[in-house]
Amino acid sequence: MSEVFVFDHPLIQHKISLLRDKNTSSKEFRELASEISMLMGYEVTRDIPLKEVEIETPVGTAKTKIISGKKLAFVPILRAGLGMVDGMLSLVPMARVGHIGLYRDPETLEPVEYYCKLPDDIANRDVVVLDPMLATGGSACDAVRFLKKHGAKNIKFVCLIASKEGVRRLSTEHPDVGIYCAAVDEHLNDLGYIVPGLGDAGDRLFGTK
Ligand code: PRP
Ligand code: URA
């Protein structure tokens, strides 16, 4: 089973509450999604390897550490995953960004792929998949399967709100993929929405409904 990391940091929990509020505007929603992603990025990047270097300070030589050059790629699932890219990139500006376009068929709830553009060297990068919602888990599982087909090996999945069902499905189908989220909600409604969740993340980010 996957490792599941639920962020309990007070800043993240506070911002998630604001994000859930139906009265939060799209502008505020975008800002909050970006801020939460940045805070999550701190933990998600915890295992980036370091190497020792010597740096000349104004008063001597410091044996100190820098990131060893391990390559990272952020892969948002379009479109709602886009809302998490800026926050992550503000921590790791040198990371590459790939895009996977999936939407859920409203009848079957099955993901339908419509776009994919990944860095050429995706097989040599650690990959962080970004999507605010892990509902049935169908989109996440498809995206991970696709990334593995392209050679990606070390994959993490980062979302804002997960459902129990989504966590179960992703960790059963891809037990090697660590799951990072700020909340695990109880259930899905008949339309496949997370309850209480935050509604349709894409629509709330981009003001399309
Ligand atoms: C949402 C969300 C996930 C997916 C989660 O995207 O951003 O990608 O649903 O649901 P699942 O776990 O049941 O697959 P949606 O299909 O609404 O597309 P959008 O991002 O373009 O709005
Ligand atoms: N997609 C969303 O945007 N919200 C949900 O609750 C479920 C899927």
Side-chain angles (χ1 to χ4, degrees), residues 23 25 28 35 49 54-55 68 71 103 114 117 134 142 148 151 167 186 196:
N23 295 313
S25 69
E28 292 166 314
E35 288 164 8
E54 288 191 355
I55 301 276
S68 76
K71 294 171 171 178
Y103 71 87
Y114 62 89
K117 183 80 183 169
L134 177 63
D142 258 33
K148 287 182 175 174
V167 169
E186 258 328 292

Short mmCIF file of all heavy atoms in Angstrom, two decimals, residues 23 25 28 35 49 54-55 68 71 103 114 117 134 142 148 151 167 186 196:
data_model
loop_
_atom_site.label_atom_id
_atom_site.label_comp_id
_atom_site.label_asym_id
_atom_site.label_seq_id
_atom_site.Cartn_x
_atom_site.Cartn_y
_atom_site.Cartn_z
N ASN A 23 -18.30 30.54 -0.55
CA ASN A 23 -18.28 31.99 -0.80
C ASN A 23 -16.90 32.52 -1.18
O ASN A 23 -16.75 33.71 -1.41
CB ASN A 23 -18.79 32.74 0.44
CG ASN A 23 -20.24 32.40 0.71
OD1 ASN A 23 -21.06 32.42 -0.21
ND2 ASN A 23 -20.56 32.04 1.95
N SER A 25 -14.06 33.50 -3.55
CA SER A 25 -14.07 33.86 -4.99
C SER A 25 -12.99 33.07 -5.75
O SER A 25 -12.08 32.51 -5.14
CB SER A 25 -13.80 35.36 -5.14
OG SER A 25 -12.45 35.62 -4.78
N GLU A 28 -9.52 34.42 -4.92
CA GLU A 28 -9.01 33.93 -3.64
C GLU A 28 -8.69 32.43 -3.72
O GLU A 28 -7.72 31.96 -3.14
CB GLU A 28 -10.05 34.16 -2.53
CG GLU A 28 -10.26 35.64 -2.21
CD GLU A 28 -11.53 35.84 -1.38
OE1 GLU A 28 -12.58 35.25 -1.72
OE2 GLU A 28 -11.46 36.58 -0.39
N GLU A 35 -0.83 28.96 -2.57
CA GLU A 35 -0.14 29.03 -1.27
C GLU A 35 -0.06 27.65 -0.61
O GLU A 35 0.99 27.26 -0.07
CB GLU A 35 -0.90 29.99 -0.33
CG GLU A 35 -0.75 31.44 -0.72
CD GLU A 35 -1.80 32.34 -0.05
OE1 GLU A 35 -2.55 31.85 0.84
OE2 GLU A 35 -1.88 33.51 -0.42
N PRO A 49 18.09 14.69 -2.65
CA PRO A 49 19.44 14.49 -2.12
C PRO A 49 20.30 15.75 -2.16
O PRO A 49 20.14 16.61 -3.04
CB PRO A 49 20.02 13.42 -3.05
CG PRO A 49 19.10 13.29 -4.18
CD PRO A 49 17.81 13.94 -3.87
N GLU A 54 32.02 23.49 -0.66
CA GLU A 54 32.69 24.49 0.16
C GLU A 54 32.34 25.86 -0.39
O GLU A 54 32.43 26.11 -1.59
CB GLU A 54 34.20 24.28 0.13
CG GLU A 54 34.62 23.07 0.93
CD GLU A 54 36.13 22.99 1.13
OE1 GLU A 54 36.85 23.83 0.56
OE2 GLU A 54 36.55 22.09 1.86
N ILE A 55 31.90 26.73 0.48
CA ILE A 55 31.50 28.09 0.08
C ILE A 55 32.36 29.08 0.85
O ILE A 55 32.54 28.93 2.06
CB ILE A 55 30.00 28.34 0.43
CG1 ILE A 55 29.07 27.34 -0.26
CG2 ILE A 55 29.60 29.78 0.16
CD1 ILE A 55 28.68 27.67 -1.67
N SER A 68 21.75 18.19 -4.97
CA SER A 68 22.77 17.49 -5.76
C SER A 68 22.52 17.50 -7.26
O SER A 68 23.28 16.91 -8.01
CB SER A 68 22.87 16.04 -5.29
OG SER A 68 21.75 15.34 -5.80
N LYS A 71 17.03 15.55 -10.73
CA LYS A 71 16.07 16.25 -11.58
C LYS A 71 14.64 15.96 -11.18
O LYS A 71 14.27 14.82 -10.91
CB LYS A 71 16.30 15.84 -13.03
CG LYS A 71 17.63 16.29 -13.57
CD LYS A 71 17.84 15.66 -14.92
CE LYS A 71 19.06 16.23 -15.60
NZ LYS A 71 19.26 15.56 -16.90
N TYR A 103 -10.13 14.56 -18.66
CA TYR A 103 -11.37 15.00 -18.02
C TYR A 103 -12.22 13.78 -17.71
O TYR A 103 -12.08 12.74 -18.38
CB TYR A 103 -12.13 16.01 -18.88
CG TYR A 103 -12.76 15.44 -20.12
CD1 TYR A 103 -14.03 14.87 -20.09
CD2 TYR A 103 -12.08 15.44 -21.34
CE1 TYR A 103 -14.60 14.33 -21.23
CE2 TYR A 103 -12.64 14.90 -22.47
CZ TYR A 103 -13.90 14.35 -22.42
OH TYR A 103 -14.46 13.78 -23.54
N TYR A 114 -6.94 13.83 -23.37
CA TYR A 114 -6.98 14.69 -24.55
C TYR A 114 -5.69 15.42 -24.82
O TYR A 114 -5.55 16.11 -25.83
CB TYR A 114 -8.15 15.70 -24.45
CG TYR A 114 -8.05 16.66 -23.27
CD1 TYR A 114 -7.39 17.87 -23.40
CD2 TYR A 114 -8.64 16.35 -22.06
CE1 TYR A 114 -7.31 18.75 -22.33
CE2 TYR A 114 -8.55 17.21 -20.98
CZ TYR A 114 -7.90 18.41 -21.13
OH TYR A 114 -7.81 19.28 -20.06
N LYS A 117 2.03 16.21 -22.87
CA LYS A 117 3.35 16.72 -23.27
C LYS A 117 4.26 16.63 -22.05
O LYS A 117 4.04 17.32 -21.04
CB LYS A 117 3.21 18.17 -23.75
CG LYS A 117 4.50 18.76 -24.25
CD LYS A 117 4.79 18.30 -25.67
CE LYS A 117 6.14 18.86 -26.12
NZ LYS A 117 6.59 18.25 -27.36
N LEU A 134 -8.61 14.04 -5.54
CA LEU A 134 -8.50 12.59 -5.78
C LEU A 134 -9.85 12.01 -5.38
O LEU A 134 -10.11 11.79 -4.19
CB LEU A 134 -7.36 12.02 -4.90
CG LEU A 134 -7.12 10.52 -4.94
CD1 LEU A 134 -6.71 10.05 -6.33
CD2 LEU A 134 -6.05 10.11 -3.93
N ASP A 142 -4.81 6.75 -14.06
CA ASP A 142 -4.49 6.84 -15.48
C ASP A 142 -3.22 7.64 -15.70
O ASP A 142 -2.36 7.27 -16.50
CB ASP A 142 -5.63 7.52 -16.23
CG ASP A 142 -6.47 6.50 -16.96
OD1 ASP A 142 -6.59 5.38 -16.44
OD2 ASP A 142 -6.98 6.82 -18.05
N LYS A 148 4.33 5.97 -16.05
CA LYS A 148 5.16 4.76 -15.97
C LYS A 148 5.46 4.22 -17.36
O LYS A 148 6.55 3.74 -17.64
CB LYS A 148 4.46 3.70 -15.11
CG LYS A 148 4.49 4.04 -13.61
CD LYS A 148 3.83 2.94 -12.79
CE LYS A 148 3.98 3.22 -11.29
NZ LYS A 148 3.22 2.25 -10.48
N GLY A 151 8.33 5.63 -18.71
CA GLY A 151 9.60 5.31 -18.04
C GLY A 151 9.77 5.94 -16.66
O GLY A 151 10.79 5.70 -16.01
N VAL A 167 -8.00 7.28 -2.32
CA VAL A 167 -6.74 6.84 -1.70
C VAL A 167 -6.60 5.33 -1.82
O VAL A 167 -5.55 4.80 -2.18
CB VAL A 167 -6.69 7.27 -0.21
CG1 VAL A 167 -5.53 6.61 0.51
CG2 VAL A 167 -6.60 8.79 -0.09
N GLU A 186 -14.88 11.73 3.65
CA GLU A 186 -15.57 10.47 3.86
C GLU A 186 -16.02 9.75 2.60
O GLU A 186 -15.75 8.59 2.41
CB GLU A 186 -16.83 10.72 4.71
CG GLU A 186 -16.74 10.37 6.18
CD GLU A 186 -15.83 9.18 6.53
OE1 GLU A 186 -16.19 8.06 6.14
OE2 GLU A 186 -14.80 9.38 7.17
N PRO A 196 -17.48 16.37 2.14
CA PRO A 196 -17.94 17.70 1.72
C PRO A 196 -17.05 18.35 0.65
O PRO A 196 -17.53 19.20 -0.08
CB PRO A 196 -17.88 18.50 3.03
CG PRO A 196 -16.83 17.83 3.85
CD PRO A 196 -16.89 16.38 3.50
#
